[in-house]
Amino acid sequence: MTPIALETEDHSRDARFNKIMHGKSVGSRGGFSSMLNKDREAHKAASEEYWKHWDNKSAGTETVDIREARKAEYATLTRHYYNLATDLYEYGWGACFHFCRFAYGEGFYQAIARHEHYLAHMMQIREGMRVLDVGCGVGGPTREIAKFTGAKIVGLNNNDYQIERATQYAAKEGLSQQLSFTKGDFMQMSFPANSFDAVYAIEATVHAPSLEGVYSQIYRVLKPGGVFGVYEWLMTDAYDNGNPHHKEVRLGIEQGDGISNMVKISEALQAIKAAGFELEVSKDLADNADARPWYYPLDGDLRMASSIGDVITIARMTRLGRLLAHGAVGGLERIGLAPKGTKKTADSLGWAADCLVAGGKEKLFTPMYLMIARKPAA
């Protein structure tokens, strides 16, 4: 593995910034109510730190040096992305920041939960296990898998705001004795070797500057015989970096989702084996002939919604729904109720949504490449 320069962690600095930027908004319901309770100067600082990697850097002008600069600041880039985007995610998608498959007649949140259950089932997570959730977000999947399996789960996250919200949600659901949340960089975990019976990551390790690097850390903290399961975001092997359209799709996804370096399926398979794992299952679940494609909520076809509740949920994510919401955010910015830059982040998420749909329809991208791998028992 080519050595990756790791960012120096400073948890005290991050905690101070979190307290200034987010303040009391951690206790808000999420979405718009949280967006309005940010410190303006701290929000501006986070926005400038994130957008310096993307402004005036199109797919056509992208260079190796530009990508290397993003990789060099992978942790800061991702941390500030979620400082800016978490409330928008909760408003538009809910507490589980991932895609899923859809069976016939299956509701949106039911399908989200089934996707989490499927991973836990494939990994055979069960009561009595100590499990690590790598990149746990605000803890939606952590809570669901804990309830489904009875396992005790530790959530690892690089963003203080999300950790606070995850801790709050766990307490609200009476899960504080079963769940805990820890601040850390998944490229340099502080856990002792051989600490966990199982480790999973749901659409999170894509934020790593090197998949082999993060998979190697996961291998280290797993007990011998332990299992690792991941839904990975990857460009498929149909992706051609020499094709300008393909590059624009990839860059749109990366910019709108805080990703420094997304790679292809073949590279991920090489990385997990190079980390030392024995690969037991590898499959692109996006290739399944499901009743509705994984990207349908972003594509805006409300005819695919299975209930009135889903119509309301999905409507927020359609182009028209995004246009109205982003217009409202822009209006709140103009009258000083929302921090400047909120609409820019929302618009970036919208562009990413269009690129995700294009990537899905053209088979250039998958958000659910499943790998189940095991650390050898001896």
Side-chain angles (χ1 to χ4, degrees):
M1 177 178 70
T2 302
I4 296 291
L6 303 179
E7 284 196 68
T8 301
E9 294 188 277
D10 189 336
H11 292 189
S12 297
R13 174 204 61 196
D14 296 344
R16 288 193 302 271
F17 186 88
N18 173 65
K19 186 175 181 180
I20 294 169
M21 177 170 173
H22 298 290
K24 296 180 180 179
S25 66
V26 68
S28 301
R29 293 181 59 188
F32 273 102
S33 61
S34 293
M35 284 181 228
L36 304 181
N37 291 302
K38 307 298 180 186
D39 179 86
R40 301 308 191 253
E41 288 303 312
H43 189 281
K44 179 182 177 183
S47 185
E48 290 176 350
E49 186 65 33
Y50 183 70
W51 285 103
K52 74 179 186 183
H53 290 291
W54 310 102
D55 284 341
N56 304 313
K57 296 178 175 70
S58 67
T61 61
E62 185 181 65
T63 64
V64 171
D65 287 344
I66 288 173
R67 292 189 69 76
E68 288 300 317
R70 291 176 193 144
K71 289 167 63 177
E73 297 188 8
Y74 67 95
T76 299
L77 183 150
T78 302
R79 184 172 61 256
H80 282 312
Y81 171 75
Y82 283 112
N83 278 331
L84 299 169
T86 293
D87 298 325
L88 293 164
Y89 271 64
E90 289 201 62
Y91 163 76
W93 202 261
C96 300
F97 301 169
H98 63 81
F99 292 103
C100 64
R101 297 166 59 196
F102 293 95
Y104 176 79
E106 189 174 41
F108 177 78
Y109 292 113
Q110 180 185 2
I112 287 282
R114 180 170 65 86
H115 199 59
E116 296 158 2
H117 296 172
Y118 182 74
L119 181 62
H121 165 72
M122 291 294 289
M123 295 174 64
Q124 297 184 317
I125 297 175
R126 58 190 181 276
E127 190 169 356
M129 281 186 165
R130 186 171 186 247
V131 178
L132 178 64
D133 179 341
V134 175
C136 64
V138 297
T142 324
R143 297 190 298 278
E144 186 63 36
I145 290 175
K147 289 181 282 189
F148 180 68
T149 65
K152 288 193 173 182
I153 305 179
V154 177
L156 178 66
N157 196 315
N158 185 36
N159 183 276
D160 298 76
Y161 180 54
Q162 290 193 340
I163 291 171
E164 289 186 348
R165 291 194 69 77
T167 302
Q168 174 183 284
Y169 288 137
K172 182 179 179 180
E173 295 188 24
L175 294 169
S176 296
Q177 299 303 309
Q178 195 176 348
L179 304 179
S180 63
F181 299 93
T182 299
K183 163 83 171 178
D185 176 0
F186 56 29
M187 292 293 293
Q188 44 190 328
M189 297 184 198
S190 60
F191 307 111
N194 308 323
S195 294
F196 296 96
D197 300 295
V199 179
Y200 67 84
I202 298 178
E203 302 184 18
T205 45
V206 66
H207 292 293
S210 160
L211 288 183
E212 185 179 342
V214 69
Y215 294 165
S216 295
Q217 280 291 296
I218 290 167
Y219 184 92
R220 183 184 66 80
V221 302
L222 263 177
K223 296 177 182 177
V227 64
F228 170 45
V230 60
Y231 289 137
E232 194 64 82
W233 276 34
L234 295 165
M235 304 309 293
T236 70
D237 290 326
Y239 173 81
D240 176 8
N241 202 53
N243 182 311
H245 171 66
H246 289 194
K247 284 184 69 175
E248 188 165 325
V249 168
R250 190 255 302 152
L251 185 66
I253 295 171
E254 289 177 331
Q255 176 185 300
D257 292 289
I259 299 165
S260 66
N261 184 52
M262 188 156 54
V263 300
K264 295 169 71 170
I265 289 172
S266 56
E267 294 176 62
L269 293 171
Q270 291 171 4
I272 203 164
K273 292 173 183 176
F277 283 105
E278 295 174 348
L279 188 60
E280 297 180 348
V281 177
S282 60
K283 181 180 181 182
D284 186 359
L285 299 185
D287 281 342
N288 285 24
D290 293 319
R292 294 165 289 173
W294 62 264
Y295 52 79
Y296 106 82
L298 301 178
D299 200 24
D301 190 349
L302 295 177
R303 294 172 299 177
M304 291 188 179
S306 62
S307 68
I308 296 298
D310 274 4
V311 168
I312 296 170
T313 299
I314 302 306
R316 294 198 297 266
M317 299 178 247
T318 63
R319 285 188 179 88
L320 177 59
R322 298 196 304 260
L323 179 67
L324 293 173
H326 298 185
V329 169
L332 292 171
E333 276 191 33
R334 284 191 293 274
I335 62 176
L337 290 179
K340 289 184 179 180
T342 305
K343 184 176 184 298
K344 184 175 183 178
T345 301
D347 289 345
S348 177
L349 289 171
W351 182 39
D354 292 339
C355 290
L356 286 162
V357 171
K361 287 183 175 181
E362 297 171 37
K363 301 293 185 183
L364 300 175
F365 165 80
T366 176
M368 52 186 70
Y369 195 86
L370 171 67
M371 292 186 283
I372 305 293
R374 195 168 299 276
K375 182 175 181 176

